[in-house]
Amino acid sequence: MRIVIAGCGKIGKAITGSLVADEHEVVVIDSKPEVIKTVSNTYDIMGICGSATDSDVLKDAGVNRAELFIALTGSDELNMLCCFMAKKLGAKHTVARIRDLENNDTGFDFMKQQLELSLSVNPELLTAEAIYQILKLPSAIKVETFSSSRMEMVELYLPQNTAVEGVSLGELRKKFKTPFLVSVVGRGDKVFIPGGDFALKAGDKIGLLAEKDDIGKILEILEIQHKKVKSVIIMGAGITSGYLASLLNNDHIEVKIIEKDEAVCEKMCEALPSGCTVVCGDGMSQDLLTEEGLDSADAFVALSGMSESNILISFYAMQKKVSKVISKVNRDELSGIAEKLGLECVVSPKSIVADVVLQYARALDKSSGDSQIETLYSVMGGLAEAHEFAVLPDFKFTDIPLKDLLRNSDILVAGIVRGHKAIIPGGDDVIKEKDKVIVITTTKNQIYKLSDVFRK
């Protein structure tokens, strides 16, 4: 599929990498020659230096033959204009990065319709929602939701004193009545799609899949501490912080934002609900953090614009025994280092947006006639993927027990949602038309449709 991307900053590069890995024909447009040179050489793709509002540039990029056009510049208005022009020149579908609060109210729906915009992505809102999900379940390092939150997959580390050390997954599921599934395990630099005889070890990173309402009960079964967050300190008063503070305030969670720019503080105070506190000061100051109650906070979230600062101050918060510490990091090399040094919970806006765009691109793939991809997440630090498919009438493996189907290696049918019923499947379960099916796979397997999971 031909895809044209306008704007190749951090998010643009991440999306480009994901789409190239998915074997799409990608063309990038950017106004900076050095960016075009780097991206073109890194991914061996066509790059055009120029403005994506220039019709000649768009024509040179082959927009008239593009299945998808994605605008990711730093300006909402520019992104919308690029998409409008690309659509008029023949692009079938358009996606725009829309990040300002003013462009996400009800009036935006009318504008989106008039511009024939297929999809808008708001990196700051998506990041805030991801952090919010983690804070609601603070034992987790990542929470992914499926089928309108009927099922959740929680990534977490097994503690050193875990009661399930050496216990096989088959034994674990027989021991407890509450249905759940350990669908993927990270151990060191390796990732496993485990079978029933797989034995867990302390320090494993596991992907735990279950009904949303059962997650807390399962954590108790696994003797994993689950303390509710009541107070959060946020460093940095950007757009993400505003979204996150509003979400937390709606849950009656005490929020305090620390920001050193006085003008930004004033703007944030005007935008936020009365229950949120904004402190003007340097969030990197240990004395200020102590004065503002870091020692007694349930969670600390570092959301400044500097990944290095976020990592450093997050380690300090960990030393102060803050129960939950989350750091926004947009550089892959820093994320890996931080996690290896013990900073478990790192969020990457560019990765979150890349998942959304990749999901949309796969949904457009015409070969996916037997199923429709509904959700796609990168899990286990990018070593595995979690997919959710809606089963369409052309799916050829309905009403066949899973035990009678040959499954490709390193792929697991982890969950089935049938109407309002969530199923952790066993060998006798079947897939039916209109089901939502959750599949976990390592990234070496590229899945575009549900039938890719099985062999005839």
Side-chain angles (χ1 to χ4, degrees), residues 24-36:
H24 293 290
E25 180 188 357
V26 180
V27 180
V28 296
I29 302 171
D30 198 279
S31 59
K32 297 179 180 178
E34 64 274 16
V35 171
I36 290 297

Side-chain angles (χ1 to χ4, degrees), residues 59-317:
K59 290 175 182 177
D60 289 343
V63 164
N64 62 310
R65 296 180 286 114
E67 187 79 16
L68 179 60
F69 177 86
I70 307 169
L72 300 166
T73 76
S75 166
D76 289 357
E77 291 75 17
L78 187 60
N79 290 335
M80 289 186 277
L81 178 58
C82 292
C83 286
F84 178 73
M85 293 181 65
K87 187 74 175 180
K88 292 303 180 184
L89 288 170
K92 292 184 180 179
H93 303 274
T94 57
V95 176
R97 170 180 173 170
I98 310 291
R99 62 195 298 263
D100 286 345
L101 294 170
E102 293 82 359
N103 290 325
N104 286 277
D105 57 16
T106 53
F108 177 63
D109 291 335
F110 174 77
M111 186 184 298
K112 181 179 176 182
Q113 183 179 6
Q114 295 303 307
L115 295 174
E116 299 182 78
L117 190 63
S118 307
L119 177 70
S120 64
V121 290
N122 185 332
E124 287 76 14
L125 178 58
L126 291 170
T127 303
E129 289 174 340
I131 295 171
Y132 173 66
Q133 291 294 332
I134 295 170
L135 291 173
K136 285 172 60 180
L137 197 67
S139 303
I141 56 175
K142 196 174 184 182
V143 180
E144 313 293 13
T145 61
F146 302 93
S147 293
S148 301
S149 298
R150 287 190 183 91
M151 298 192 82
E152 288 185 341
M153 190 172 89
V154 179
E155 288 187 48
L156 52 86
Y157 283 100
L158 291 177
Q160 291 302 316
N161 59 347
T162 178
V164 297
E165 171 79 41
V167 178
S168 72
L169 297 180
E171 293 173 4
L172 201 60
R173 289 188 66 183
K174 290 178 183 177
K175 187 176 180 181
F176 304 110
K177 295 181 180 179
T178 304
F180 67 94
L181 182 68
V182 177
S183 57
V184 60
V185 178
R187 182 174 293 168
D189 295 326
K190 295 182 179 180
V191 65
F192 303 90
I193 306 298
D197 58 351
F198 188 94
L200 296 172
K201 290 184 179 181
D204 281 349
K205 183 197 287 188
I206 65 171
L208 183 69
L209 186 74
E211 286 193 66
K212 179 181 178 180
D213 294 340
D214 288 338
I215 294 292
K217 188 187 304 182
I218 295 166
L219 293 179
E220 290 180 9
I221 289 172
L222 297 177
E223 299 182 6
I224 295 173
Q225 292 183 354
H226 177 54
K227 179 185 176 183
K228 186 177 180 180
V229 168
K230 297 180 180 179
S231 62
V232 180
I233 293 178
I234 301 172
M235 184 186 81
I239 297 174
T240 303
S241 303
Y243 283 129
L244 179 59
S246 296
L247 290 169
L248 294 171
N249 185 74
N250 290 339
D251 253 4
H252 307 290
I253 296 173
E254 180 185 331
V255 180
K256 184 176 290 185
I257 299 176
I258 300 175
E259 168 61 48
K260 62 182 177 181
D261 188 312
E262 187 174 347
V264 173
C265 286
E266 291 178 359
K267 185 177 180 180
M268 184 65 73
C269 286
E270 294 173 0
L272 287 179
S274 57
C276 301
T277 301
V278 180
V279 177
C280 188
D282 187 357
M284 293 295 292
S285 168
Q286 298 177 13
D287 291 339
L288 178 62
L289 289 174
T290 300
E291 183 181 330
E292 295 301 331
L294 180 66
D295 292 346
S296 58
D298 294 320
F300 177 80
V301 185
L303 293 177
S304 80
M306 294 292 295
S307 296
E308 296 87 346
S309 297
N310 290 339
I311 292 172
L312 287 172
I313 202 63
S314 293
F315 277 120
Y316 176 72

Side-chain angles (χ1 to χ4, degrees), residues 358-424:
L358 183 60
Q359 170 193 321
Y360 187 73
R362 289 190 185 179
L364 295 177
D365 193 325
K366 287 184 171 59
S367 65
S368 304
D370 60 30
S371 57
Q372 176 74 38
I373 188 165
E374 301 254 313
T375 313
L376 171 65
Y377 297 114
S378 176
V379 298
M380 292 288 145
L383 297 176
E385 290 181 343
H387 312 72
E388 180 182 10
F389 294 97
V391 181
L392 301 179
D394 290 340
F395 184 66
K396 299 178 180 178
F397 300 99
T398 54
D399 298 312
I400 302 173
L402 292 177
K403 66 183 179 183
D404 295 334
L405 293 172
L406 294 175
R407 180 168 49 87
N408 287 312
S409 61
D410 290 330
I411 298 177
L412 176 67
V413 177
I416 298 173
V417 178
R418 185 169 297 147
H420 296 289
K421 184 180 181 182
I423 303 167
I424 300 295

